[in-house]
Amino acid sequence: MRIISQDGNYDYPYDCIEVQLEGVLINLRRMSNCNELVTVAVYSTKEKAGMAIKMLHDAYSGILPLTCMDELKPDVKPAEAFLTCSMSGDLCFEHMGNYYFKFPDDKDVKL
């Protein structure tokens, strides 16, 4: 899964980063460069920032069952199955194994 910033300027593979919640900021730190901290989302309240992190967790946990696509019924398309499993956030499926989560705008985070 890939993580995309609110503004779309940053795009990182989830398995190569550390996600940090710091007040109203969501920051990423690349494992290959521990000195670089990138702010990928800013929210109006700590609660909204926390909800955005929960949305990320829900998105990530929502894709795990779909790693075994051969268990799908023949009449169900993988994209349809994926969309029914997504829980929240801007979670999308384009090609098998190509998932991404884009941090939502502040106005789109509901408490």
Side-chain angles (χ1 to χ4, degrees):
M1 185 168 88
R2 299 194 65 83
I3 305 298
I4 302 174
S5 62
Q6 274 177 328
D7 61 9
N9 288 330
Y10 297 100
D11 181 342
Y12 292 104
Y14 193 46
D15 57 347
C16 296
I17 58 166
E18 173 186 311
V19 180
Q20 298 177 342
L21 174 61
E22 294 184 16
V24 297
L25 303 177
I26 296 177
N27 300 313
L28 301 183
R29 185 182 309 274
R30 289 188 312 169
M31 291 180 196
S32 63
N33 183 356
C34 293
N35 295 324
E36 179 186 25
L37 192 65
V38 177
T39 299
V40 293
V42 180
Y43 294 96
S44 57
T45 66
K46 290 180 183 180
E47 293 78 17
K48 282 192 170 191
M51 181 57 73
I53 290 291
K54 181 185 180 315
M55 293 166 73
L56 171 63
H57 293 168
D58 290 347
Y60 183 72
S61 63
I63 68 169
L64 294 179
L66 292 170
T67 57
C68 187
M69 298 301 285
D70 57 346
E71 293 180 14
L72 285 177
K73 296 177 183 173
D75 60 333
V76 177
K77 295 178 182 174
E80 292 171 352
F82 180 78
L83 291 174
T84 60
C85 290
S86 67
M87 300 180 73
S88 57
D90 187 3
L91 182 66
C92 300
F93 174 83
E94 291 176 359
H95 304 288
M96 185 59 189
N98 188 15
Y99 306 95
Y100 65 88
F101 176 85
K102 182 175 185 221
F103 278 100
D105 290 333
D106 186 77
K107 65 180 173 41
D108 296 326
V109 176
K110 308 291 185 231
L111 298 176

